[in-house]
Amino acid sequence: MAHKYSPRQVEKKWQRRWADDRIYEVTENSERQKFYALTMFPYTSGDLHIGHWYAMAPSDTYARFKRMQGYNVLHPMGFDAFGLPAENAAISHGIHPHGWTMRNIENMRKQLRSIGAIYDWSREIVTCLPDYYKWTQWFFLKLYHAGLAYRGEATVNWCPRCQTVLANEQVVGEGSCERCGTLVTKKALKQWFLQITRYAEELLDHSRLDWPQHINMMQRNWIGKSEGAEISFGLEHKGLEQKEIRVFTTRPDTVFGVTFFLLAPEHPLVPQLTTSEHKTEVNEYVARCQQQTEYERLALGREKTGVFLGNYVTNRLNGEQVPIWITDYVLPTYGTGAVMAVPAHDERDFEFARKFNLPVQTVIAPTGWSGDGLKEAYTEPGTMVNSGQFTGLPSNQGYEAICTLLEETGWGKRSVIYRLRDWLISRQRYWGAPIPVTYCDRCGTVPVPEKDLPVLLPPDAEFKPTGESPLKHCSAFVNTTCPQCSGPARRETDTMDTFMCSSWYFLRYTSPRTEHAPFDYAKLKYWLPVDLYTGGAEHAVMHLFYARFFIKALKDMGLVHFDEPFTRLFNQGTIVYHGDKMSKSRGNVIAPDEYVAELGADAVRGYLMFIGPWELGGEWNDNGIVGISRWLNRVWSLVTTDYASRAVAARDEKECFHVVHKTIKKVTADLERFRFNTMLASLMELTNYLSKARETGTVSGSVWRDAIDRFLLLLAPAAPHLAEELWAQTGHPYSIHNQPWPHYDQELAKEEEVTLVIQINGRLRDKVLVPASISEAEAKELALGRERVKAYIDGKKVNNVIYVPNRVVNIVVA
Ligand SMILES: [Zn+2]
Ligand SMILES: [Zn+2]
């Protein structure tokens, strides 16, 4: 009965059937425990490339596994559809971004269906459609009314090529635009911000999250918390009302070592504090700094530059007059934009002092200090010297004592600062959700009332890349009436950062057609938080960070019941081709569609999972996918060729059970840990075993059928089409995907065990029970890790380790 395996036919057939039967649609009315498995939704670039498949096929396999384990699994899909590429395409091809995006979505939807995933398409969302962005605007209003959205003048990162503002996170490498690589410049604009800084402390806490450590670390570094003190320096300058400048320092214990004072060139006091003879030089320097990127300014090892203003501040602790300089390594946005310079104990200040011949005063002595000048900055703790009443104290005690003095005298206080800045959400672009705000000459800034949402994008805007939002030139959009006084008013013409859209999309999936609210609360309460979120690590300080903030803010407003959106996070690696990351510009992009057409979706899914551990990614290789395809063909003939038992042997039947149950145990454990590659290796071994068993025919027909059934169930998450087809062909009722995950019998799965003797220089030192299948490497590692063995070889050099399979490990030490 064995006919040829035609993946194309098989896959088309089952995809149609699954869609017709709505087999993967889920509801909240289930006895089963919920599991929300979310994959980052794709940007509507037009084509599903192999990177998308690598994000989606393994996560679908996992979601299918959870489903078979008995969970009520929500595994939705949608489109991140606003953003710059659509608008750029519109400009260069004369296509409307809406048309471009919707056409791309249509194509991608077709491609996504070819993966054979369990996406519940009835829940699809598209962020650029009014029924979605209405709620993005609604959330903006909520944030505004909660005091978390504000408008402020800001120097922003500006890409002269894309003609738009970029968030700090979008400035990459040596200060270039993430999208086009152009060097980013600065520009002052009135912008809308979300006050993410208010959540800095909460965002530092990942303790309740099962997330990769390096992502947590990146987020913590991004927040950049520093503890220290704020210290006031006296200003006595004629004609200046301000009598002090405050600085933040992490080292209040070094305050007696301040020998100069630094301001950011942009600091508002610079013009007033500059004396006339220094004016020209200062102005030139300030102008030069405006051309530099922040990255350049902060680069390590860069020659220090700066200019003296001709003026002084007073160090209140010792009454000394300290000269004020400006330098580009002080940023206006970090701390107060002013720094007390302590060259003896700060590397950059030390270099600066050297360059400009400024004094260096040691105030923290290293152990055994001779009293000579330091050759380099000493940044460690030590004993305080030259520090008035604090001299002689260990610096950590001095730190506390000085803070206390500052607080008693009113000269300062203990303080914490964060590098994190507020989230700039204004974009001077067309293709985004309009910011729902109007400006009225009489009433000022007036938010659009909720009942008037959505503020629709006008379909007829011109796409001139002028550096201003195209909406500005669309008078029908701009001119409106004030919601408060009904007088003439103007609409805000900037649109929102698309990260606003993606900060809440996972809420919308729970009730995507709800019209009166962004979500149906009962449904949201059932599904959220997301149990497993998978996607690329490149989102660490953007999407993943913003979404956390967003949800925390919603929680505080009482809109949701949880404050962390993604309980568990997993980042997949990258698929490379000929050693390079795939990209259109390199021309090394693998188009999955061709492979799907030729070898089938199951082969592409299987191959991507087989390439290596999911978090590491790997190298695409055409021979590799052919190997997987061959294996699937072998599975096909293994299952579809009639089995004939001959001389049935009890021993062989027992072994068959053992192998099957051992495989169930292994595959289950591998899936739990996202070890898709070793899972597939186990299934291949089982295929080999069963192929041999068929040749010998020494197990009964029922044992054979039982083995094949379990094998197909194990195969179902990874190769859903083939497993479904073979399930049907072996006479089982539809559908294999509604079957429970196979259990294994602990006794049957148990490995035969042997006693391994551990010798040191030929003498018996330890014994251990191990599975008979233990490899040489595993046996050696195990032996060397034993406590008793470690005690014997402690401090000695291991010259050799000899392994006699399943019997002895002999460790030879000097
Ligand atoms: Zn750019
Ligand atoms: Zn008004």
Side-chain angles (χ1 to χ4, degrees):
M1 84 174 207
H3 41 274
K4 216 171 159 311
Y5 168 42
S6 161
R8 204 193 173 95
Q9 234 171 14
V10 166
E11 291 174 1
K12 279 260 155 58
K13 172 174 132 191
W14 292 112
Q15 282 169 14
R16 202 170 305 130
R17 177 87 189 263
W18 295 332
D20 289 347
D21 296 347
R22 304 172 162 208
I23 175 177
Y24 302 128
E25 287 186 15
V26 285
T27 70
E28 299 71 40
N29 314 313
S30 172
E31 298 287 291
R32 302 159 145 222
Q33 202 186 325
K34 72 97 180 176
F35 190 87
Y36 190 169
L38 181 65
T39 297
M40 288 178 189
F41 64 167
Y43 174 69
T44 47
S45 56
D47 242 325
L48 214 60
H49 56 75
I50 210 73
H52 291 115
W53 270 76
Y54 197 54
M56 290 163 183
S59 57
D60 174 64
T61 298
Y62 187 81
R64 286 176 171 281
F65 164 62
K66 294 309 270 185
R67 196 171 177 276
M68 289 177 80
Q69 275 191 321
Y71 290 91
N72 187 28
V73 176
L74 173 60
H75 191 46
M77 189 42 67
F79 299 96
D80 188 11
F82 270 139
L84 214 42
E87 197 165 337
N88 288 342
I91 291 160
S92 57
H93 298 115
I95 317 166
H96 193 279
H98 177 84
W100 186 83
T101 304
M102 296 316 282
R103 218 171 52 206
N104 288 347
I105 288 176
E106 208 170 300
N107 184 46
M108 291 173 80
R109 215 181 259 141
K110 209 165 63 207
Q111 292 177 306
L112 279 162
R113 283 183 192 272
S114 78
I115 297 177
I118 61 167
Y119 303 138
D120 177 351
W121 285 106
S122 70
R123 293 170 183 267
E124 182 199 273
I125 53 169
V126 178
T127 61
C128 70
L129 297 179
D131 69 344
Y132 184 89
Y133 73 71
K134 170 181 178 173
W135 300 111
T136 307
Q137 294 174 336
W138 186 86
F139 282 118
F140 173 88
L141 293 177
K142 290 285 171 202
L143 293 161
Y144 177 83
H145 292 301
L148 286 166
Y150 66 92
R151 193 163 180 244
E153 174 116 4
T155 309
V156 295
N157 302 307
W158 178 259
C159 173
R161 177 133 175 240
C162 296
Q163 292 279 301
T164 194
V165 168
L166 299 171
N168 291 320
E169 300 88 317
Q170 292 167 318
V171 180
V172 297
E174 305 197 0
S176 34
C177 169
E178 170 194 62
R179 200 164 292 287
C180 72
T182 304
L183 216 56
V184 173
T185 59
K186 298 280 176 187
K187 189 169 175 172
L189 282 178
K190 272 227 158 172
Q191 307 277 293
W192 282 95
F193 291 88
L194 296 184
Q195 224 178 9
I196 195 169
T197 50
R198 224 202 265 179
Y199 286 84
E201 198 59 42
E202 276 185 60
L203 288 164
L204 279 172
D205 180 13
H206 296 87
S207 62
R208 287 168 295 134
L209 299 179
D210 182 3
W211 280 32
Q213 280 309 316
H214 67 277
I215 300 288
N216 299 348
M217 184 65 84
M218 282 168 81
Q219 293 199 343
R220 278 199 297 274
N221 289 342
W222 190 252
I223 296 166
K225 179 180 181 176
S226 300
E227 289 180 62
E230 200 179 283
I231 302 180
S232 157
F233 283 75
L235 260 186
E236 286 128 42
H237 187 67
K238 269 192 214 109
L240 196 63
E241 230 165 81
Q242 195 171 333
K243 295 295 173 219
E244 61 161 14
I245 308 185
R246 290 188 168 243
V247 298
F248 172 84
T249 176
T250 57
R251 293 294 303 272
D253 53 317
T254 64
V255 69
F256 285 84
V258 175
T259 55
F260 54 101
F261 193 89
L262 295 169
L263 291 178
E266 299 87 344
H267 197 285
L269 285 179
V270 168
Q272 285 152 287
L273 289 177
T274 307
T275 57
S276 52
E277 68 260 49
H278 292 93
K279 209 128 234 158
T280 318
E281 208 190 345
V282 167
N283 289 345
E284 277 170 16
Y285 186 76
V286 171
R288 231 175 18 250
C289 291
Q290 266 157 3
Q291 303 304 312
Q292 291 166 347
T293 66
E294 193 167 297
Y295 181 89
E296 286 171 337
R297 288 173 63 165
L298 293 178
L300 289 172
R302 202 166 146 256
E303 179 153 5
K304 296 289 169 280
T305 59
V307 182
F308 177 45
L309 298 189
N311 233 312
Y312 297 84
V313 290
T314 312
N315 184 349
R316 300 187 196 275
L317 278 99
N318 56 13
E320 272 175 28
Q321 290 286 99
V322 181
I324 309 172
W325 289 63
I326 51 172
T327 182
D328 57 4
Y329 71 83
V330 176
L331 295 178
T333 44
Y334 184 72
T336 59
V339 164
M340 61 175 223
V342 186
H345 307 293
D346 180 278
E347 280 157 21
R348 286 193 305 195
D349 297 347
F350 189 86
E351 288 170 37
F352 194 91
R354 274 229 166 135
K355 171 89 188 277
F356 295 104
N357 259 323
L358 293 161
V360 178
Q361 167 81 300
T362 305
V363 291
I364 307 291
T367 322
W369 181 56
S370 63
D372 292 346
L374 297 168
K375 295 261 182 311
E376 55 185 11
Y378 177 71
T379 57
E380 300 295 308
T383 306
M384 294 179 71
V385 293
N386 303 320
S387 295
Q389 76 232 58
F390 304 99
T391 296
L393 281 180
S395 55
N396 57 343
Q397 282 178 32
Y399 179 111
E400 295 303 328
I402 286 176
C403 285
T404 305
L405 178 75
L406 291 171
E407 282 165 3
E408 283 167 3
T409 53
W411 294 341
K413 57 175 201 258
R414 288 175 176 85
S415 175
V416 170
I417 64 161
Y418 302 90
R419 186 152 2 114
L420 181 65
R421 293 173 212 167
D422 281 337
W423 175 12
L424 197 172
I425 57 156
S426 296
R427 295 293 180 272
Q428 293 67 49
R429 303 301 304 220
Y430 168 78
W431 195 231
I435 295 172
V437 166
T438 53
Y439 303 105
C440 167
D441 287 338
R442 254 193 290 176
C443 315
T445 303
V446 183
V448 173
E450 278 179 28
K451 64 172 176 49
D452 294 341
L453 296 182
V455 175
L456 288 169
L457 273 178
D460 53 354
E462 281 279 342
F463 304 108
K464 284 177 291 188
T466 58
E468 291 180 313
S469 169
L471 294 178
K472 218 168 199 167
H473 307 287
C474 185
S475 57
F477 176 83
V478 175
N479 299 319
T480 183
T481 48
C482 169
Q484 217 156 285
C485 72
S486 301
R490 294 167 325 276
R491 283 195 193 281
E492 168 66 63
T493 54
D494 285 351
T495 54
M496 285 185 247
D497 181 2
T498 55
F499 282 117
M500 276 286 280
C501 314
S502 56
S503 284
W504 72 278
Y505 77 107
F506 44 92
L507 309 181
R508 186 71 178 168
Y509 279 138
T510 62
S511 39
R513 308 292 162 250
T514 304
E515 283 178 10
H516 61 281
F519 46 74
D520 175 326
Y521 185 68
K523 292 179 177 174
L524 174 107
K525 204 160 179 212
Y526 175 81
W527 288 112
L528 269 295
V530 170
D531 295 282
L532 171 67
Y533 195 25
T534 58
E538 68 274 18
H539 296 285
V541 291
M542 291 190 269
H543 164 57
L544 291 168
F545 193 63
Y546 294 141
R548 290 183 66 212
F549 154 69
F550 211 86
I551 293 303
K552 285 177 188 300
L554 298 193
K555 169 82 184 331
D556 287 347
M557 291 181 226
L559 292 171
V560 299
H561 63 285
F562 57 101
D563 71 348
E564 284 288 353
F566 317 121
T567 307
R568 184 175 184 189
L569 175 72
F570 188 92
N571 300 122
Q572 79 268 0
T574 315
I575 295 295
V576 297
Y577 190 46
H578 293 149
D580 271 325
K581 204 176 156 175
M582 284 181 215
S583 75
K584 275 189 189 161
S585 58
R586 285 198 192 93
N588 65 345
V589 176
I590 294 285
D593 294 6
E594 293 162 28
Y595 291 91
V596 173
E598 199 190 326
L599 303 171
D602 285 343
V604 179
R605 291 172 63 108
Y607 177 54
L608 287 171
M609 289 189 271
F610 194 61
I611 264 179
W614 196 24
E615 69 270 30
L616 295 183
E619 166 98 33
W620 178 279
N621 177 315
D622 279 339
N623 296 330
I625 188 165
V626 168
I628 291 289
S629 165
R630 248 185 239 133
W631 169 58
L632 295 174
N633 274 286
R634 284 181 57 216
V635 170
W636 175 273
S637 50
L638 174 77
V639 179
T640 57
T641 311
D642 290 335
Y643 175 77
S645 74
R646 289 182 289 276
V648 174
R651 211 194 112 109
D652 289 355
E653 290 197 328
K654 194 179 163 210
E655 191 191 52
C656 183
F657 279 122
H658 166 64
V659 172
V660 169
H661 283 257
K662 189 179 79 174
T663 308
I664 298 173
K665 186 178 177 181
K666 178 79 165 59
V667 166
T668 307
D670 283 348
L671 279 169
E672 291 288 9
R673 297 179 304 130
F674 307 111
R675 282 285 178 262
F676 303 105
N677 55 333
T678 53
M679 166 200 75
L680 288 168
S682 300
L683 290 178
M684 289 171 192
E685 273 173 41
L686 184 59
T687 311
N688 293 342
Y689 177 82
L690 292 172
S691 301
K692 270 192 205 123
R694 196 188 44 212
E695 278 165 30
T696 57
T698 51
V699 302
S700 70
S702 67
V703 171
W704 173 261
R705 278 191 300 278
D706 178 82
I708 291 294
D709 286 355
R710 289 176 206 265
F711 172 60
L712 291 178
L713 291 167
L714 295 180
L715 183 69
H721 310 89
L722 178 62
E724 185 81 288
E725 174 67 20
L726 294 175
W727 189 251
Q729 288 206 20
T730 48
H732 295 287
Y734 172 82
S735 155
I736 193 170
H737 301 298
N738 287 335
Q739 300 302 312
W741 187 246
H743 287 284
Y744 60 89
D745 183 315
Q746 197 62 260
E747 273 306 303
L748 289 171
K750 204 161 140 188
E751 293 264 14
E752 197 194 324
E753 286 185 317
V754 293
T755 302
L756 200 61
V757 165
I758 304 170
Q759 298 176 338
I760 294 171
N761 291 343
R763 296 180 65 179
L764 175 74
R765 295 300 187 196
D766 200 2
K767 281 183 188 175
V768 58
L769 215 54
V770 298
S773 62
I774 194 166
S775 71
E776 175 164 352
E778 285 168 335
K780 287 179 175 175
E781 195 188 323
L782 179 82
L784 289 166
R786 302 279 294 175
E787 284 309 316
R788 292 182 61 177
V789 172
K790 280 201 270 187
Y792 277 109
I793 62 177
D794 184 38
K796 297 183 182 118
K797 187 170 176 281
V798 176
N799 284 334
N800 200 2
V801 183
I802 300 151
Y803 180 60
V804 184
N806 285 352
R807 287 179 51 206
V808 179
V809 178
N810 184 18
I811 302 163
V812 183
V813 295

